[in-house]
Amino acid sequence: MSDIIQLLPDSVANQIAAGEVIQRPASVIKELVENAVDAGAKHIDVAVVDAGRTSIQVIDDGKGMSETDARLAFERHATSKIRKADDLFDLHTMGFRGEALPSIAAVAQVELKTRQQGEDIGTHLSIAGGKVTGQEPCACPEGSNFMVENLFFNVPARRKFLKSNNTELNNILTAFQRIVLVYPEIVFRLHSNDAELLNLRACGLRQRIVDVFGNRLNQDLLPVKVETSLCGIHGFVGKPESAKKKNAHQYFFVNGRYMRHPYFAKAVMSAFDRLIPQGEQVPFFLYFDVSPKDIDVNIHPTKTEIKFENEQAVWQILNAAVKDAVGIFSNATTLDFDTEGKPDIPVFDPDNGASMPKVDFDPQYNPFTAPAPSSGGTGHPSRMGSEGFQASQMGSEGFHVSRMGSTASAFADFDALMGGASSASFNHVPSSEPEDLFPQEKSATAGTKQVLEEKAPSHYQYKGKYIMTAVKSGLMIVDQHRAHIRILFEQYQKQLEAKKMRAQKVLFPESLQLTAQQQVTLGQIMPELQMMGFELTSLGGSTWSVNAMPEGLDGINVMDLLHDMLDGVHATGDEALQKVNEQLALTMARAAAIPYGQVLQNDEMENIVNSLFLCGNVNYTPDGHKILCILKQQEIEQMLGE
């Protein structure tokens, strides 16, 4: 038998390695920008065309490479950061395995222009499909300029499975943000198809977070800082009121490297137990400083998963640090230093004795003495109160005894107590029959009970949250907020499908500040927003003017509504774009639905219940939450022991 095991050609081996490291255009940007950071760059510019499909360019002002280093950098496992195996456990840089550049060159056409500091001439290197096609001296600025074109040109299957341009651009933004949040001292710029998406100045950490995610986040950040012998943790967590059901910004960084760590995420969220609704999340930006010997960053091809030697101890430190930050915020009191118009409190002087203040009062004043009764009064107070007052004071033992004793002295005391009170102050009930307590029905005799039953409400509201109504099988309980979401969702969806949403011009247009990702998403759904009735005009940069909105959104914060729409579409990606009308209708329905705690009249509850049962799905909201349940008659009888 012939041998069947063979060594793979270098070209095939490089493409396999590229499959592990380079998954999409965002992977290329991550590797090149991290290399620029390791090179000591202070300015890094990234430009993409067609979300990286056509070209990716990364320019930095770092220390650059010599002619020999430029050539060796594209060889597999060529690195300047590792000399022996022990160096793997003492890493202080981003890249170290020497796989990024050869992996990129194996699946794209790459041009590199680089010049070292102090050199007069740089190097121009061209590589396609892993093979060097040219190398020559050139004039170029200090630093490095990488141009990556036609990604996956020689692996059509990989290129075919790339997502839409908008999705890939969102992935690029995500990878870019994970780096810029670690290095606020570096200036970063990102362009897409010649349009500027991000222009981040050198600043502090908090300002960098605000520059990336918008000013809305600034007021919700709580500082976290703790130093222990095991690790140091600093950064920010969101206030409890900043919690969201999804798309909360949550970032962990270890020694300047982004990581995913669900176990540590639970440590953060457990600090918010009973402070936020179940299922919601708060944003956090937390940075760990750990000895490189206590972690292993080499367990995942993209290095986004990191193994800690003392995970349980770090978990407890993290949890305590977040609890401390939230506790300080909760216990902080607001000091009012505005003393204008307030009394001046004298300083205590033990030499000057304080005298007891004098209180003036009228010893002849009788609170039960009233003016003489008006001429319009009818009847004697004692007669009016003998039964009417007793009826309203069923729990008053003294009046009950007086009534039972039928003594004249008791009513005389009552007359003396009430003095000259007007008879008009009491509800006069001439008869002791129960139905006579309702004067408007006193003309009815045999039909009184029937009238009262007709006026009794058919629905009851419990704690401003649930509508309860009797049905044939028992007691139906309806969540008023979720029911209204379902009703409005189907109404908005029909209007969107029929293109019947009307625009309402606003008297004073508001400014809408968007993050880079929201701007990308806005470009995707702008036609749908215009069809809904929104009219947005660009004011330049990341600012838009809202000139019109759909009718029926009075009382709703339109800025928050638009932010929620854009975040919702971004969170669900291409899937949401296929059903963008559903996503927008759901967001509008959530914003316009009656809130918990709103007191409803019987006719309003009747309208909600009737409208709910005209919907296509009465049991669940569009996002899968249960709307109603029925407590069966048999279950009620069992609970009561019948």
Side-chain angles (χ1 to χ4, degrees):
M1 296 179 62
S2 60
D3 296 332
I4 59 175
I5 297 179
Q6 300 178 4
L7 290 175
L8 287 174
D10 288 343
S11 59
V12 177
N14 287 339
Q15 288 186 15
I16 293 174
E20 296 179 354
V21 180
I22 307 303
Q23 301 171 352
R24 52 183 5 118
S27 305
V28 176
I29 290 176
K30 171 186 176 295
E31 300 293 347
L32 295 181
V33 173
E34 286 181 350
N35 283 345
V37 171
D38 286 342
K42 295 301 180 184
H43 296 79
I44 300 176
D45 292 308
V46 179
V48 297
V49 177
D50 297 332
R53 293 171 187 266
T54 301
S55 70
I56 299 169
Q57 187 173 23
V58 177
I59 305 173
D60 68 73
D61 61 352
K63 52 189 175 184
M65 291 181 279
S66 66
E67 180 180 359
T68 304
D69 286 346
R71 183 68 176 264
L72 285 176
F74 288 93
E75 298 294 332
R76 290 197 65 194
H77 307 307
T79 175
S80 62
K81 297 141 187 176
I82 300 295
R83 291 292 182 265
K84 55 185 184 297
D86 291 343
D87 292 343
L88 287 171
F89 302 98
D90 192 22
L91 295 170
H92 299 275
T93 56
M94 302 295 290
F96 58 88
R97 291 188 303 210
E99 291 186 8
L101 292 181
S103 295
I104 295 171
V107 292
Q109 298 170 338
V110 181
E111 286 192 11
L112 167 62
K113 293 180 180 180
T114 182
R115 179 166 70 91
Q116 283 186 315
Q117 296 176 2
E119 296 291 334
D120 296 328
I121 300 296
T123 300
H124 181 197
L125 187 66
S126 301
I127 300 177
K131 296 181 180 180
V132 177
T133 58
Q135 181 174 348
E136 58 185 1
C138 72
C140 62
E142 291 182 354
S144 299
N145 183 341
F146 284 89
M147 173 68 78
V148 180
E149 297 179 307
N150 300 323
L151 187 63
F152 300 130
F153 78 100
N154 54 349
V155 192
R158 296 283 303 281
R159 189 176 180 90
K160 176 183 177 183
F161 283 98
L162 290 177
K163 302 296 184 181
S164 67
N165 281 358
N166 285 310
T167 300
E168 295 299 341
L169 187 55
N170 276 320
N171 289 324
I172 289 172
L173 280 166
T174 300
F176 196 67
Q177 288 167 355
R178 292 173 179 176
I179 299 174
V180 301
L181 289 172
V182 182
Y183 301 99
E185 70 278 5
I186 300 178
V187 176
F188 290 94
R189 284 186 286 265
L190 175 63
H191 290 77
S192 173
N193 297 341
D194 296 327
E196 185 177 83
L197 294 182
L198 285 173
N199 189 343
L200 303 173
R201 55 186 170 166
C203 58
L205 179 57
R206 187 186 189 110
Q207 186 61 49
R208 174 57 58 88
I209 295 172
V210 171
D211 288 345
V212 173
F213 296 110
N215 291 324
R216 298 174 70 210
L217 191 60
N218 189 27
Q219 60 187 1
D220 294 327
L221 296 179
L222 300 175
V224 176
K225 187 172 181 61
V226 63
E227 293 290 340
T228 69
S229 59
L230 190 61
C231 70
I233 302 174
H234 70 279
F236 300 91
V237 295
K239 296 178 182 177
E241 54 264 34
S242 67
K244 293 182 178 181
K245 288 189 176 180
K246 55 185 177 181
N247 206 37
H249 304 298
Q250 298 184 333
Y251 292 87
F252 284 126
F253 302 94
V254 178
N255 296 348
R257 188 188 305 276
Y258 169 80
M259 75 163 181
R260 289 193 298 262
H261 210 298
Y263 184 56
F264 287 168
K266 290 181 181 178
V268 176
M269 297 313 301
S270 65
F272 289 87
D273 283 346
R274 293 177 297 210
L275 294 177
I276 62 175
Q278 189 174 5
E280 294 194 359
Q281 298 177 328
V282 295
F284 58 76
F285 306 86
L286 296 172
Y287 300 76
F288 295 77
D289 295 317
V290 186
S291 171
K293 297 179 181 180
D294 294 334
I295 58 175
D296 186 359
V297 301
N298 199 27
I299 64 172
H300 192 274
T302 59
K303 301 189 284 286
T304 56
E305 296 178 12
I306 297 176
K307 183 178 180 181
F308 283 73
E309 184 176 348
N310 302 298
E311 281 195 347
Q312 181 63 36
V314 175
W315 192 98
Q316 294 174 350
I317 295 171
L318 174 61
N319 180 258
V322 175
K323 281 185 176 179
D324 185 56
V326 177
I328 292 175
F329 161 71
S330 300
N331 295 330
T333 57
T334 302
L335 299 179
D336 186 2
F337 295 100
D338 182 11
T339 58
E340 184 178 354
K342 297 182 180 179
D344 184 20
I345 301 175
V347 179
F348 174 70
D349 185 358
D351 297 332
N352 295 330
S355 59
M356 181 68 68
K358 295 182 179 180
V359 179
D360 294 332
F361 65 95
D362 182 5
Q364 303 299 323
Y365 174 73
N366 186 348
F368 298 105
T369 301
S374 61
S375 59
T378 59
H380 197 274
S382 64
R383 295 191 187 95
M384 294 175 60
S386 61
E387 292 190 27
F389 190 80
Q390 188 269 341
S392 63
Q393 299 285 342
M394 297 296 290
S396 177
E397 184 177 350
F399 288 115
H400 179 68
V401 172
S402 300
R403 174 82 164 71
M404 296 296 292
S406 300
T407 59
S409 61
F411 288 108
D413 293 340
F414 179 74
D415 288 341
L417 178 66
M418 299 309 295
S422 172
S423 61
S425 301
F426 301 92
N427 292 326
H428 180 54
V429 183
S431 173
S432 61
E433 294 297 324
E435 59 268 18
D436 287 338
L437 292 175
F438 300 87
Q440 68 273 22
E441 303 294 344
K442 62 184 178 181
S443 60
T445 54
T448 299
K449 184 176 180 181
Q450 179 181 356
V451 171
L452 291 177
E453 288 179 350
E454 290 176 356
K455 289 185 175 292
S458 57
H459 306 284
Y460 299 89
Q461 189 180 27
Y462 177 64
K463 290 192 174 181
K465 186 173 183 179
Y466 303 107
I467 299 172
M468 300 189 296
T469 185
V471 294
K472 186 176 181 180
S473 57
L475 180 66
M476 181 175 68
I477 304 173
V478 179
D479 187 303
Q480 67 182 41
H481 178 68
R482 293 179 180 177
H484 204 203
I485 287 177
R486 165 55 69 178
I487 295 166
L488 293 176
F489 170 76
E490 297 201 1
Q491 290 178 0
Y492 288 141
Q493 197 173 27
K494 290 177 181 176
Q495 292 174 351
L496 286 171
E497 291 174 354
K499 300 182 180 180
K500 291 184 178 179
M501 298 289 286
R502 294 183 179 179
Q504 177 181 349
K505 291 283 186 178
V506 296
L507 186 59
F508 301 103
E510 296 188 64
S511 295
L512 179 69
Q513 293 285 340
L514 300 180
T515 65
Q517 285 180 326
Q518 288 174 336
Q519 290 186 73
V520 173
T521 306
L522 179 63
Q524 296 174 260
I525 65 172
M526 182 64 84
E528 286 77 10
L529 289 175
Q530 292 173 342
M531 186 179 67
M532 292 177 67
F534 287 101
E535 183 180 314
L536 304 177
T537 304
S538 175
L539 299 179
S542 61
T543 306
W544 293 74
S545 173
V546 182
N547 302 317
M549 63 181 185
E551 288 184 340
L553 296 185
D554 297 335
I556 295 176
N557 189 320
V558 179
M559 300 298 106
D560 290 342
L561 174 62
L562 286 168
H563 279 291
D564 290 342
M565 284 183 178
L566 296 172
D567 289 342
V569 173
H570 168 69
T572 47
D574 287 344
E575 210 173 301
L577 290 177
Q578 297 170 3
K579 302 179 180 179
V580 67
N581 284 350
E582 290 185 12
Q583 180 65 43
L584 300 184
L586 176 58
T587 306
M588 291 177 62
R590 285 175 180 160
I594 55 174
Y596 292 126
Q598 181 170 327
V599 178
L600 303 177
Q601 302 299 322
N602 187 67
D603 56 343
E604 294 173 322
M605 292 186 281
E606 180 79 20
N607 184 39
I608 288 177
V609 173
N610 291 341
S611 299
L612 175 64
F613 281 90
L614 292 176
C615 294
N617 186 338
V618 302
N619 294 310
Y620 295 94
T621 61
D623 50 351
H625 296 292
K626 199 169 184 179
I627 296 175
L628 59 85
C629 66
I630 295 179
L631 189 60
K632 295 184 179 179
Q633 179 70 24
Q634 183 180 0
E635 295 174 353
I636 297 175
E637 293 173 352
Q638 288 177 351
M639 286 189 291
L640 294 175
E642 296 183 9

